[in-house]
Amino acid sequence: MELSCLPKSCFVPPRWNSRCCNRSIRCAGIAEASGVPAPMGQKTQYKDGFFEKAFMSLFARKMEKFSSGGAGGRSEKGFWDWDYDSFVDVSRRVMVGRNRKQQQEVVREVLLSMLPPGAPAQFRKLFPPTKWAAEFNAALTVPFFHWLVGPSEVVEVEVNGEKQRSGVLIKKCRYLENSGCVGMCVNMCKIPTQDFFTNEFGLPLTMNPKFEDMSCEMVYGQVPPPFEEDPVSKQPCYAEFCSIANPVANVCPKLQA
């Protein structure tokens, strides 16, 4: 049974799962009758709890200061008025009037603003770039990134010729599914997250979205390639899903700006 499908009370070592959990437990937060993300082309329904809504509100309120129409002022929304759709909407507004690197810089500033002073330096001390640190952060990603990307599980990957359990397979990324935008996936999630872990925290991270089914593999410990050498730099728009797509462009325009 996958750890990502356990309720929060059951986040315990896998060998103890059978003592506290039924093996047919559905993925936490999924409101689909099947208990798993919806097929490609259909939007997965979620039932967000206190933890998920708190993170949505925290990130959305920080990002709104940089959004088109935000003007750096206070949000008119109450803290608990945010949901996932409005979080994605404010992300989309952040893109307006900014090029690729400016969008990524906004996400970096938002992430830094969420941390106490000196947090990156402390992270580097606690988690030097070792196999253990990579595997530990992969394990933490499953419960703590659930609100953002949906169900995921730790998987074995190969880093520098060595097999280790520092990979995280996101079944169907909630952010990509809700935005339907390749540019948002790359500029507002993949690249800034990679850069933040690699450059701010000193723990290399590579994210490999699979646009054919909206899954994604995160590989802690693996240095990400330069953008120009990354396959995502040549990815076309989701013409059938994205409201701002350019269906005739060979590459998503948001990746070229």
Side-chain angles (χ1 to χ4, degrees):
M1 182 174 61
E2 297 162 0
L3 190 59
S4 59
C5 291
L6 296 175
K8 293 180 180 64
S9 60
C10 291
F11 278 110
V12 294
R15 65 180 180 276
W16 295 346
N17 287 346
S18 60
R19 300 181 186 178
C20 70
C21 303
N22 185 298
R23 292 184 179 275
S24 62
I25 290 175
R26 297 148 51 93
C27 291
I30 295 284
E32 297 288 332
S34 64
V36 297
M40 184 68 172
Q42 299 178 29
K43 185 177 177 180
T44 305
Q45 299 301 311
Y46 285 84
K47 185 177 182 180
D48 297 310
F50 174 87
F51 176 85
E52 290 82 6
K53 289 182 179 179
F55 268 91
M56 291 173 199
S57 297
L58 285 170
F59 272 85
R61 287 165 69 90
K62 292 283 186 180
M63 293 184 69
E64 190 177 34
K65 297 177 182 179
F66 298 93
S67 69
S68 172
R74 293 185 61 184
S75 173
E76 296 181 359
K77 283 180 175 287
F79 186 84
W80 297 109
D81 292 336
W82 295 91
D83 57 14
Y84 202 86
D85 287 338
S86 55
F87 164 70
V88 171
D89 179 66
V90 77
S91 300
R92 186 176 287 109
R93 286 189 279 120
V94 165
M95 299 178 73
V96 176
R98 290 186 173 90
N99 62 31
R100 174 170 57 85
K101 291 190 175 182
Q102 289 171 335
Q103 295 165 28
Q104 295 164 15
E105 180 59 24
V106 166
V107 178
R108 175 182 174 275
E109 291 188 35
V110 168
L111 292 173
L112 283 173
S113 72
M114 300 287 289
L115 301 173
Q122 288 299 315
F123 186 98
R124 286 172 176 265
K125 291 180 181 179
L126 291 171
F127 303 109
T130 62
K131 176 182 176 180
W132 176 86
E135 292 184 334
F136 185 79
N137 277 272
L140 287 181
T141 295
V142 172
F144 287 104
F145 275 47
H146 184 280
W147 74 272
L148 177 62
V149 300
S152 61
E153 63 178 324
V154 173
V155 295
E156 186 178 74
V157 292
E158 186 172 306
V159 178
N160 298 324
E162 181 180 5
K163 290 186 177 180
Q164 56 191 49
R165 291 185 62 77
S166 66
V168 176
L169 178 62
I170 300 166
K171 311 296 182 64
K172 187 184 183 188
C173 180
R174 187 178 184 182
Y175 190 69
L176 180 56
E177 180 182 32
N178 277 257
S179 67
C181 181
V182 169
M184 286 181 67
C185 165
V186 176
N187 296 339
M188 303 292 289
C189 182
K190 171 185 159 63
I191 299 296
T193 303
Q194 286 182 169
D195 287 349
F196 198 80
F197 272 90
T198 302
N199 300 319
E200 300 294 337
F201 283 165
L203 180 64
L205 169 66
T206 296
M207 298 178 68
N208 300 311
K210 186 178 178 183
F211 294 100
E212 292 81 3
D213 61 4
M214 295 187 173
S215 64
C216 182
E217 184 181 61
M218 304 174 69
V219 184
Y220 287 94
Q222 184 175 83
V223 177
F227 178 74
E228 294 73 19
E229 298 176 16
D230 195 314
V232 302
S233 66
K234 305 296 190 295
Q235 183 67 31
C237 288
Y238 271 139
E240 65 273 34
F241 302 134
C242 183
S243 60
I244 58 174
N246 183 342
V248 299
N250 292 326
V251 178
C252 172
K254 292 295 184 181
L255 302 181
Q256 299 174 307

